[in-house]
Amino acid sequence: MMDMCNSCNNMAYNSINKQNGIKLNKKNCTIITFCIFFIFFLSTINNLFKYIHIKTSRYILTYSNILYLISFLSLNKQVESLIGLDDGILPINEYINDLKKILKRIDFFFVRRLVYCVYKFWEYVIRNRIKVKTFCKVGILLSILNFLIQKNVQNDFIRIFCSLYLFPLLFILHISFKIVMRDFMVFQCDLLMNEFGFLLIFLNLSDSYYLIYSNTLIICLLRLVCFKILFNSGVHKFVYKGSQWLDLKGCENLFLSQPLPSILSYIAYCKFDKSIICFLIIISEILLSWLIFCSSKLRILFYIIFINIHLSCHIICNNIFLSYIFIILFFSLFDDSIINFFSTSGNIPDLYKNNELVNLSIYLIVCLINIIISLFYLIFVFINFVPFFEKWNILDFQCFHIVYKFYYYFCPLNVCNSYAMLTCTNKCRQEIIIEELHKIGNECKWQYVNFNYKPGNINKIGSILWWGHIPRLEWKLYYFINYTEYNKKGIYPVYICSFLKKLYNREKEIISMFKEKNIQGVPLMIKLTSHYYMMNIKGCREVDSPMCNFRMEEYKQWECGKYWKRRKVRVMETLKYRENKTN
């Protein structure tokens, strides 16, 4: 089902994991939130009359196309195996009827119409048996074309007019995939890409010296998103695991607890002082993030701090695509006075110096765009109250029902989200390991099945995903263990059942996800086992007590390798494929 309210799901998950958190009363939370927006409005007014951001916008609009390019390239590599017609893990043709039902629950006309267009689009794809990856290639071509237009076209009106179609098309194509990818496209980088892509449409609309005030409004909205990412992440840490972060122990297992650790994660886990990293993250999120609303020099200072602390952590955690989004999104902290130090493109063109409009029609267009962007600015700020409110884990802001109402109007599009970065710090790393029973000679032996990126082989560690690829199935399998821990009924997600069935049948798209080039034939049985993984720093030394909540007798001996040591916790399921017999 489409993620109608991602933030509510986050709160439900957080309530399970909450421990030793710090909770403020509703009055204090309201005061802090209104203080944030008061300072934000003051910053907007200051920027409107003091700074110009046209060159900043050009850089953001140009290089944001690289983000779309990476996103569609990554999807192109795996989308057929995930949602391909008939053969995908979650085939799109089996979901299209559910999508039609969801339309009836969407209240806002604009959002319902957009989702309806998405529904008709995928219905056309299914009816004509078009490969899903074809539209990844379309996204790749559109992003390259838009990049070339933004890079080379100097005439404002031609550039805005061309990209006026391309940016919305890229956004709609991206959200079309997000809707039908379901469980495979629910990560924070996907939500942020949606929100950023939505703002890019309006940033492009204001990309002219005739529209410097409207342009500044959108830049300020981008800065609000930057602040929201950092401040909400800091609030999340204190509300749900406050004592752990106050004791500077929040990063003890940060690099161990990421979905796909790399060699950089291993080095950081073994060598870095995690208490210093924890201190720097907290200070930058709760205190230094306010510099986003300050003067030009202080904003640049914060950008340098952010690059050195947060961006480094995300790269070490192998969240490369998210790092690329941050580089371009946080470039909104710059203004043209800073860029002029490094750029030789000159000052404002003579045509615009006196703000002289060419004719009446252009004047009317400029007025219309100014009105549209001013209204959009107010609405976007208005609905962003909700992500700030809900981070305090207080659900009864009764006086703000109108804010929540507008927020949920736009919720299906994920254009206003709540974030919690660098918060995954579980005390232990649990992995679901797949084992297969094969007959070798006269004996039957269980053999491990290792993925390309996630931990499996204890003598190897995942590669660094420098180009920004997101192996979505492997990310989901990492979080699957948490799902099974809290699902008392023992019901597995549909994507797990479908994946295991296709793995058993040795379907080509699924087999390509594994390291074994010559993976053996159909197994006799498949077994899901839960393993406890630790990075192997000091050899195979026993720990005094288990860090996870399992009985001591369930633990086996450590199995040690070059990078990892692991021991089996328990067998979760032993499966044998059985076909239904019909009379």
Side-chain angles (χ1 to χ4, degrees):
M1 182 177 291
M2 186 171 61
D3 184 15
M4 298 289 291
C5 185
N6 183 72
S7 55
C8 289
N9 292 336
N10 286 341
M11 287 189 292
Y13 175 79
N14 291 332
S15 63
I16 295 172
N17 291 282
K18 186 174 180 180
Q19 62 177 49
N20 301 322
I22 298 171
K23 187 171 182 178
L24 299 179
N25 60 45
K26 184 167 64 174
K27 180 180 178 181
N28 291 334
C29 297
T30 304
I31 291 172
I32 293 173
T33 303
F34 273 100
C35 180
I36 290 170
F37 283 91
F38 177 72
I39 294 174
F40 168 70
F41 281 121
L42 290 180
S43 173
T44 300
I45 294 170
N46 181 56
N47 277 273
L48 281 172
F49 298 103
K50 193 172 181 180
Y51 301 108
I52 296 175
H53 304 89
I54 297 298
K55 292 180 182 178
T56 303
S57 299
R58 290 294 303 279
Y59 280 107
I60 294 173
L61 290 169
T62 300
Y63 294 102
S64 61
N65 290 289
I66 296 177
L67 300 178
Y68 277 119
L69 177 64
I70 293 172
S71 180
F72 288 119
L73 279 172
S74 179
L75 285 174
N76 183 66
K77 187 176 180 179
Q78 58 192 318
V79 72
E80 287 295 336
S81 61
L82 298 179
I83 62 166
L85 295 176
D86 300 323
D87 297 327
I89 294 173
L90 295 177
I92 185 176
N93 44 305
E94 295 181 7
Y95 174 67
I96 196 70
N97 290 330
D98 293 335
L99 181 57
K100 189 175 182 180
K101 294 176 184 177
I102 289 172
L103 283 168
K104 299 177 182 178
R105 301 201 297 268
I106 300 176
D107 297 325
F108 188 35
F109 170 79
F110 169 75
V111 176
R112 185 170 64 251
R113 195 67 191 172
L114 183 57
V115 177
Y116 176 76
C117 292
V118 171
Y119 163 74
K120 297 300 290 184
F121 166 70
W122 288 117
E123 188 181 50
Y124 174 82
V125 171
I126 294 167
R127 186 170 59 250
N128 291 276
R129 310 298 298 175
I130 303 173
K131 281 188 171 293
V132 179
K133 67 189 304 181
T134 302
F135 299 98
C136 296
K137 293 180 173 63
V138 171
I140 292 169
L141 292 175
L142 289 177
S143 58
I144 293 173
L145 176 61
N146 203 22
F147 175 84
L148 294 174
I149 290 172
Q150 291 292 330
K151 187 76 173 175
N152 299 304
V153 177
Q154 299 302 317
N155 185 288
D156 287 356
F157 296 103
I158 295 176
R159 187 179 63 254
I160 291 174
F161 179 78
C162 293
S163 292
L164 186 62
Y165 294 95
L166 291 174
F167 273 116
L169 279 174
L170 286 166
F171 171 76
I172 292 171
L173 189 58
H174 187 270
I175 200 169
S176 296
F177 275 106
K178 187 184 184 311
I179 289 172
V180 296
M181 290 278 283
R182 289 157 285 170
D183 289 315
F184 297 118
M185 211 166 175
V186 293
F187 308 118
Q188 292 195 88
C189 56
D190 301 315
L191 299 178
L192 182 56
M193 190 65 211
N194 257 28
E195 187 166 357
F196 188 27
F198 188 63
L199 289 173
L200 287 173
I201 296 172
F202 294 90
L203 185 64
N204 171 69
L205 195 61
S206 64
D207 183 27
S208 171
Y209 283 100
Y210 287 140
L211 297 157
I212 54 175
Y213 296 118
S214 292
N215 181 262
T216 298
L217 290 179
I218 303 300
I219 289 292
C220 289
L221 291 181
L222 290 174
R223 291 174 185 170
L224 179 63
V225 174
C226 295
F227 179 81
K228 178 173 66 173
I229 292 169
L230 294 173
F231 190 76
N232 278 7
S233 298
V235 170
H236 181 96
K237 292 176 176 66
F238 283 110
V239 169
Y240 296 100
K241 292 188 178 181
S243 60
Q244 187 178 356
W245 288 93
L246 286 174
D247 294 338
L248 301 183
K249 295 180 180 179
C251 291
E252 287 297 319
N253 297 296
L254 175 65
F255 305 116
L256 170 69
S257 303
Q258 300 307 310
L260 305 175
S262 68
I263 186 63
L264 294 179
S265 310
Y266 178 79
I267 294 171
Y269 183 80
C270 297
K271 303 294 184 182
F272 289 6
D273 187 334
K274 268 80 78 176
S275 60
I276 294 177
I277 296 174
C278 183
F279 175 77
L280 292 174
I281 289 175
I282 288 297
I283 291 297
S284 62
E285 288 179 345
I286 298 297
L287 297 179
L288 297 182
S289 58
W290 293 89
L291 296 178
I292 290 173
F293 301 137
C294 294
S295 65
S296 180
K297 292 180 180 178
L298 291 176
R299 280 187 270 111
I300 301 310
L301 173 63
F302 176 75
Y303 187 82
I304 296 170
I305 294 171
F306 172 80
I307 291 293
N308 283 282
I309 299 175
H310 281 263
L311 213 61
S312 299
C313 286
H314 283 291
I315 291 173
I316 291 170
C317 293
N318 218 10
N319 296 326
I320 307 297
F321 181 59
L322 188 62
S323 302
Y324 292 155
I325 298 177
F326 283 158
I327 290 173
I328 297 173
L329 174 61
F330 278 77
F331 197 79
S332 60
L333 302 185
F334 288 73
D335 57 69
D336 288 4
S337 64
I338 298 297
I339 294 177
N340 286 335
F341 284 111
F342 307 99
S343 173
T344 58
S345 58
N347 298 315
I348 301 177
D350 293 335
L351 176 64
Y352 307 109
K353 279 186 176 178
N354 299 319
N355 201 25
E356 295 178 356
L357 296 173
V358 177
N359 54 46
L360 180 62
S361 60
I362 293 178
Y363 174 78
L364 293 175
I365 292 172
V366 168
C367 290
L368 178 62
I369 292 174
N370 281 325
I371 293 171
I372 291 172
I373 289 181
S374 298
L375 290 174
F376 172 73
Y377 171 85
L378 293 174
I379 293 172
F380 192 80
V381 172
F382 192 58
I383 63 177
N384 262 284
F385 273 82
V386 175
F388 283 96
F389 283 149
E390 68 178 17
K391 272 301 171 187
W392 300 106
N393 197 32
I394 297 176
L395 305 179
D396 58 342
F397 282 100
Q398 296 180 0
C399 57
F400 299 108
H401 282 329
I402 186 65
V403 178
Y404 280 85
K405 186 176 181 179
F406 272 89
Y407 174 77
Y408 289 117
Y409 277 159
F410 291 93
C411 209
L413 300 183
N414 294 123
V415 295
C416 179
N417 307 295
S418 184
Y419 303 97
M421 304 293 181
L422 300 176
T423 57
C424 185
T425 57
N426 299 325
K427 289 185 178 180
C428 64
R429 180 185 185 89
Q430 291 185 72
E431 286 285 352
I432 297 295
I433 300 297
I434 300 173
E435 298 180 65
E436 294 182 338
L437 183 64
H438 290 277
K439 189 171 184 179
I440 303 175
N442 296 325
E443 296 182 351
C444 291
K445 292 184 178 180
W446 288 100
Q447 296 182 338
Y448 290 108
V449 179
N450 295 318
F451 285 84
N452 286 327
Y453 301 101
K454 73 189 294 289
N457 189 330
I458 55 178
N459 293 307
K460 295 182 180 180
I461 197 163
S463 57
I464 305 171
L465 301 170
W466 285 119
W467 68 276
H469 177 52
I470 303 173
R472 296 182 178 277
L473 177 62
E474 297 180 41
W475 272 44
K476 287 300 295 183
L477 287 175
Y478 172 69
Y479 295 112
F480 168 58
I481 184 64
N482 293 319
Y483 178 92
T484 56
E485 280 301 305
Y486 298 118
N487 191 332
K488 303 300 183 182
K489 297 180 180 179
I491 299 174
Y492 289 87
V494 175
Y495 70 87
I496 290 291
C497 302
S498 177
F499 163 69
L500 292 174
K501 178 181 176 181
K502 292 178 182 298
L503 174 62
Y504 181 90
N505 290 331
R506 292 299 190 256
E507 295 188 11
K508 184 178 178 181
E509 292 286 348
I510 298 298
I511 296 303
S512 65
M513 297 181 178
F514 297 95
K515 287 185 176 179
E516 288 81 4
K517 300 299 181 184
N518 299 314
I519 194 167
Q520 297 189 30
V522 176
L524 301 175
M525 301 179 75
I526 291 179
K527 181 167 62 177
L528 297 182
T529 56
S530 172
H531 282 69
Y532 174 31
Y533 271 69
M534 290 185 67
M535 287 181 174
N536 194 8
I537 303 175
K538 299 179 180 179
C540 204
R541 186 180 68 181
E542 289 288 343
V543 293
D544 295 332
S545 61
M547 299 174 70
C548 301
N549 297 321
F550 298 111
R551 297 191 302 272
M552 283 294 294
E553 59 268 21
E554 291 181 311
Y555 279 85
K556 310 298 181 184
Q557 293 297 315
W558 287 103
E559 181 184 359
C560 296
K562 181 179 179 181
Y563 294 105
W564 300 98
K565 57 182 179 181
R566 70 180 174 194
R567 57 183 175 184
K568 187 181 294 185
V569 177
R570 69 191 188 281
V571 176
M572 299 174 61
E573 294 286 347
T574 302
L575 308 168
K576 182 177 181 180
Y577 181 68
R578 180 177 60 194
E579 294 185 358
N580 293 327
K581 295 182 179 181
T582 57
N583 295 328

